[in-house]
Amino acid sequence: MREVTMLIGELSRATGVAPRLLRYYEEQGLLIPHRDSNGYRTYGDQAPARVHRIRELLDAGLSTRAIRELLPCATDTGFQHCDHSRKVVQDGLTRLDTQIADLQHQRALLARQEAAVLAAPYES
C-alpha cells in the first residue's frame, strides 16, 4: 500500500499551521519532509499527527530544542519513558515552576503597589 503524501499547503490546511511555521519546524529539525523530483516538500500521512504533537509540546512550554530531543521518544500514544525523555520533561516542569514562582512574586509586588495607590487620597 502506497503512503499518502501531501504538499505543504495541504499539511497547513489539515493542521491549521501556517506554511511559514511548518518551514520553521523543518529548520529546527522537528518536521522532516521528503522532496519530490521538482523539489517540492511532501509530507507523509503521519505528518499531521506530528505537527499536532509539536504544537502541544510548544503549548506546554517546551522549547524547540527540548522538543527535538523528545520527539525520538514519541509513540502513537505518548512517549517512551527513558532517562532522556524523563529529564526533558522534568527540566520543563522545573522551568515552569520557577516562572510561576517569579510571576507570583511579581504579582505580590504589584498588588502591594495597588494597595498603596488605592489608599492614597484621590487628586484630580
Side-chain angles (χ1 to χ4, degrees):
M1 183 176 208
R2 191 170 182 274
E3 181 182 16
V4 176
T5 61
M6 61 187 83
L7 297 173
I8 195 167
E10 296 167 314
L11 181 59
S12 174
R13 284 187 294 283
T15 60
V17 175
R20 182 176 177 194
L21 199 49
L22 294 172
R23 286 189 290 275
Y24 174 74
Y25 295 162
E26 179 185 350
E27 290 170 10
Q28 296 301 306
L30 305 178
L31 188 62
I32 312 229
H34 302 283
R35 295 288 182 154
D36 64 12
S37 59
N38 61 5
Y40 287 174
R41 292 172 174 86
T42 60
Y43 300 89
D45 55 357
Q46 295 299 313
R50 187 169 180 105
V51 170
H52 287 297
R53 176 72 54 92
I54 292 165
R55 295 298 310 155
E56 184 177 68
L57 294 170
L58 286 167
D59 288 345
L62 291 180
S63 67
T64 56
R65 181 195 56 79
I67 294 169
R68 187 175 48 253
E69 292 176 13
L70 194 56
L71 281 175
C73 302
T75 66
D76 289 341
T77 58
F79 292 96
Q80 297 172 355
H81 292 287
C82 61
D83 289 340
H84 182 71
S85 65
R86 236 179 251 116
K87 179 174 179 357
V88 170
V89 171
Q90 287 172 342
D91 288 350
L93 287 170
T94 298
R95 186 179 43 74
L96 286 174
D97 287 341
T98 300
Q99 288 176 334
I100 289 167
D102 290 346
L103 287 170
Q104 288 173 331
H105 176 73
Q106 289 172 345
R107 188 186 191 296
L109 291 172
L110 193 54
R112 190 171 36 196
Q113 295 303 314
E114 178 190 38
V117 167
L118 292 176
Y122 180 75
E123 296 180 19
S124 52

